[in-house]
Amino acid sequence: MARLKVTQTRSEIGGKQNQRDTLRSLGLKRIGDVVVKEDRPEIRGMVQTVRHLVTVEEVD
């Protein structure tokens, strides 16, 4: 199964509470943090919520 590499590129300061909660759920705490998650619809939805704060790459 494919995996997604999610990198936080912008700060959560000034963002809505649900966006902050989503970043924390993904495991991102500060700019530059990187997590690798399974490519599942739930993760895609979380990434979509904070798409302006993160960059996403597909890795194998």
Side-chain angles (χ1 to χ4, degrees):
M1 178 178 269
R3 297 170 73 90
L4 298 175
K5 179 180 172 184
V6 184
T7 306
Q8 184 174 348
T9 56
R10 296 189 63 198
S11 174
E12 65 187 28
I13 296 174
K16 296 180 182 178
Q17 187 63 44
N18 69 322
Q19 294 170 350
R20 292 179 183 205
D21 293 342
T22 301
L23 284 174
R24 192 53 63 103
S25 296
L26 286 169
L28 301 169
K29 297 179 182 173
R30 60 185 58 88
I31 295 173
D33 274 1
V34 178
V35 294
V36 177
K37 299 284 187 179
E38 292 293 330
D39 188 3
R40 299 188 351 231
E42 299 87 3
I43 301 300
R44 289 269 181 177
M46 286 194 235
V47 169
Q48 185 70 16
T49 301
V50 293
R51 65 187 176 275
H52 59 291
L53 304 175
V54 300
T55 58
V56 182
E57 302 171 35
E58 289 190 16
V59 294
D60 289 330

